[in-house]
Amino acid sequence: MSGCDCAKARAELEEFLHNELRGDDVADIRAHMETCVECSEEHRVGAVLMETVKRACREEAPEALRIQVLARIRAEQSTH
Ligand SMILES: [Zn+2]
């Protein structure tokens, strides 16, 4: 494992989360996340954010929501 896939994984994470990637790119990123804790954590945070934003009332500011979610995830992580 070269470790040089992180940049690609991060760059494509957004599209990955929105299911906009081609199948082979999806496979690349999935394979990378299985071996890379940092990227899989980025993905987890992104997925939680997306779910939360989707469920949230549209009138709520996404930025405020994002900050709340990130704070919650960070707090959770610091207890482990
Ligand atoms: Zn990585």
Side-chain angles (χ1 to χ4, degrees):
M1 210 53 206
S2 65
C4 68
D5 286 344
C6 283
K8 176 185 157 121
R10 301 295 173 95
E12 294 184 346
L13 184 63
E14 188 86 1
E15 287 172 51
F16 179 82
L17 286 168
H18 289 93
N19 292 317
E20 288 167 0
L21 286 179
R22 288 177 302 129
D24 50 349
D25 286 331
V26 169
D28 279 356
I29 290 184
R30 276 194 202 284
H32 177 72
M33 285 192 303
E34 275 174 27
T35 61
C36 181
V37 174
E38 283 180 30
C39 288
S40 78
E41 190 59 26
E42 282 287 314
H43 171 256
R44 194 172 73 89
V45 170
V48 169
L49 276 177
M50 224 174 66
E51 271 310 301
T52 307
V53 170
K54 249 194 259 176
R55 283 184 206 153
C57 171
R58 285 181 179 202
E59 279 147 46
E60 195 160 354
E63 182 63 17
L65 199 61
R66 197 176 74 87
I67 289 163
Q68 269 179 28
V69 172
L70 283 176
R72 201 165 66 205
I73 290 166
R74 300 244 159 86
E76 182 190 307
Q77 282 172 351
S78 67
T79 62
H80 292 312

